[in-house]
Each structure stands twice: as structure tokens, then as C-alpha cells.
Amino acid sequence: MINDIMADARERMHAAAESYKKELGSIRTGRASISMLDEIRVDMYGTMLPINQVATLSTPDARMIVIQPWDRGAIEAIEKAIKVSNLNLNPQNDGKLVRLPIPPLTEERRKDLVKQAKKKNEEAKVEVRGVRRDAKEMIEAAETEGEVSKDDSRRGLDDLQALTDTFAAKIDELTSAKEKEIMEF
């Protein structure tokens, strides 16, 4: 019983950490990264599609992303989607490709991005703690109903706290790596 609860909690905490990792990838740094464009949706034929479903994305160097649409008619839609995003990038269209130069970040913008990362860090930790709360309630309910002994319940709660601490540390580790990447010149 407790093993099932722990397995479910581990799976949900892992999903929260992976989701956070993906969110961090969308935070812009001074270096070109295709994952920066993950959240951009392009209006194609009345449907909002992820940019990677309408074009090939590549990074020929550290300061440039090249977007090559599969349909040349999509260039304007891609350009518009990038302009309305919160990335503050200026796409350059040559009729075949959209080039996205990545300008160096100002010190002020870097600090804002670090604040964003820390805010997302706290949101991810809240999600992990929510999983812990749910699992804790299930373990305590199982003890109350006599399905597990008091000792097994105590051991399960201790293991649950250790698991929570592990995922919180992993989230902090991801955040500090992202902060370092953002603050690099």
C-alpha cells in the first residue's frame, strides 16, 4: 500500500521537475536556443500550431536562430507570432527564411530573467509539496483505517519527506544552473 503511494508520489514529483526543466528552457539567455521558441504558437489556416510544426528550426551559431518554414506562405505568420511573444526579439524575413538574431542581454534584463527563474522555481516546489501533502494524507488515512501499522506509516512519511527534499534540491540545482547561464556574458 505505502509502496504504491510512494511510487505515485515519485512519478508526480518527477513530472513536476521535468515540467519545470522545460519551462526553464523557454527563458531566454544571451545564447541562441531552439527551446526559447517552444511556447510560440503560429496561426496557420485558422489553427494555432507550435512553431516547430510549421518550420525547421536551427542554430547556426550562438547568436542566431534560423527558421525555415515548410510553406513560404507561413513566413508572415511566423514573424507575427515572434513579434507578439514576450521574447523581445526582432525577426528578419528574407522571403525564404526568418532569421532571429539574439542580442546580448543588458544587466537589468538578466536580473529580470533570474527573477522569473526564481518565481518558476517556487511554483515548481509548491507543486512538489502539493504531491507530498496528497501522499501524506493517503498514508495517514491508511494508518487510520488499519491498513498499515504505525511503524510502517512513520517510515513511509519519513521516506516521503526524503523524496520531497530530493526533488526540491533537484529543482534548486536546475535553477542555479539556469541563473549561471543567464548571467554569463
Side-chain angles (χ1 to χ4, degrees), residues 42-60:
V42 179
D43 185 6
M44 290 292 300
Y45 315 113
T47 305
M48 297 303 280
L49 298 171
I51 195 165
N52 63 0
Q53 290 185 10
V54 296
T56 302
L57 309 172
S58 62
T59 53

Side-chain angles (χ1 to χ4, degrees), residues 51-106:
I51 195 165
N52 63 0
Q53 290 185 10
V54 296
T56 302
L57 309 172
S58 62
T59 53
D61 62 51
R63 296 262 183 230
M64 178 75 67
I65 297 175
V66 175
I67 304 164
Q68 184 172 13
W70 297 322
D71 174 5
R72 283 194 186 169
I75 288 181
E76 286 78 23
I78 290 171
E79 221 177 348
K80 182 179 177 189
I82 292 168
K83 284 180 181 177
V84 299
S85 74
N86 66 349
L87 291 176
N88 297 327
L89 297 174
N90 189 21
Q92 299 169 351
N93 168 3
D94 71 2
K96 295 179 184 175
L97 300 173
V98 176
R99 288 184 174 78
L100 207 51
I102 310 298
L105 297 170
T106 64

Side-chain angles (χ1 to χ4, degrees), residues 16-30:
E18 287 301 309
S19 174
Y20 174 64
K21 186 176 180 180
K22 186 175 180 182
E23 278 186 57
L24 276 184
S26 69
I27 293 178
R28 182 180 157 206
T29 61

Side-chain angles (χ1 to χ4, degrees), residues 121-136:
N121 169 294
E122 191 53 40
E123 290 169 2
K125 284 183 176 179
V126 166
E127 192 172 340
V128 167
R129 289 192 295 264
V131 172
R132 177 191 63 193
R133 182 194 62 240
D134 293 347
K136 181 178 184 251

